[in-house]
Amino acid sequence: MTDIDLSEYTRDGDGSRRLRGYLARPDGEGPWPGVVVLHEVFGVDEEMRRHTDRLAGLGYLALLPDLYSDGGMLRCVARTMRAVSTGHGRAFTDISAARSWLLAQPDCTGRIGVVGFCMGGGFAIAAAPEFDAAAPNYGLMPPDLAAAVRGTCPTVASYAARDRMLRGAASRLERALNAEGVPNDVKEYPAAGHSFMNVGPARPAALRVVLRAMGTGPHPESAADAWRRIEAFFGEHLRAQRTDGDSCGGGGVPL
């Protein structure tokens, strides 16, 4: 597991000038499918690295780009949240850069998925058409959901019934995906709240009481099932042998 410099892939565009990422590599020899991991609103932390390590343990070359690379969370959060709401901005260039970096690696198969949590889940929905499979977890809904999922890739999504911020989101996403004929597995967990896939208590500590009141925090039973579904879905859509034209993400063609 290591920190890497992705700036080469944003130097000539409108992405972060000093884009950094956390890379988790599976044991043994590749090649492996790649996965871009998109962090929660609180940025790259122990929880997000843990998710990235878990994906590597499942056999994926997992890359977690820091969408707050240029300025940190306090300076970047408003701009980044605006990007997920509008569907364009620096964060999307950074996500594309992470995907391009994976595609350039000799130990990557050329099939790339995207996994996101909270804010990152919203980006996973919006950026999914460029990938081969997507796993938004309690992801924010794009304003024009129908347009966002048009031409998108197979999607496995997990939501929580006790998440006060995203009530009804699971059914909305499932309806939109079904309307487009997109293969999907969308599930809402009745006993879980926002960020239920995290292991530790709600972060940051200063907001823990408020976040707990909003239904935020771990729910191990629901998390275990969500990971089981992601593993099975990605196994089907990222590990299967690709034939020409079956990859919605371009199958190895950099953005």
Side-chain angles (χ1 to χ4, degrees), residues 1 10 51 66-67 86 134 140 146 154 164 169 173 187 195 201 204 212 215 244:
M1 319 308 170
T10 57
H51 292 325
D66 184 354
L67 302 182
T86 62
L140 307 177
R164 298 181 182 180
L173 179 59
K187 185 171 181 177
S195 295
R212 190 180 300 117
D244 290 346

Side-chain angles (χ1 to χ4, degrees), residues 21 37 39 48 78 106 112 118 149 166-167 172 217 222 227 244-245:
V37 185
H39 59 72
M48 298 300 106
I112 311 291
C118 178
V149 303
L166 292 169
R167 285 176 175 163
R172 286 181 58 207
S222 300
W227 278 112
D244 290 346

Side-chain angles (χ1 to χ4, degrees), residues 209-235:
V209 173
V210 175
L211 293 172
R212 190 180 300 117
M214 294 173 64
T216 299
H219 193 267
E221 295 84 358
S222 300
D225 187 70
W227 278 112
R228 178 193 60 76
R229 291 169 44 246
I230 291 171
E231 181 177 7
F233 198 88
F234 274 20

Side-chain angles (χ1 to χ4, degrees), residues 3 8 31 62 73 76 99 106 115 126 128 180 182 184 186 190 192 229-230 234-235 239 249 253:
D3 294 323
E8 176 184 354
M73 175 186 166
C76 297
R99 176 179 176 273
V115 177
E180 292 295 320
V182 177
N184 69 86
V186 181
R229 291 169 44 246
I230 291 171
F234 274 20
R239 293 188 179 280
V253 179

Side-chain angles (χ1 to χ4, degrees), residues 70-86:
D70 280 355
M73 175 186 166
L74 293 180
R75 292 182 60 185
C76 297
V77 64
R79 180 187 62 216
T80 307
M81 289 295 292
R82 187 163 55 249
V84 75
S85 297
T86 62

Side-chain angles (χ1 to χ4, degrees), residues 159-180:
Y159 285 87
R162 296 185 179 182
D163 187 344
R164 298 181 182 180
M165 296 179 286
L166 292 169
R167 285 176 175 163
S171 59
R172 286 181 58 207
L173 179 59
E174 185 174 28
R175 286 195 302 270
L177 292 169
N178 286 338
E180 292 295 320

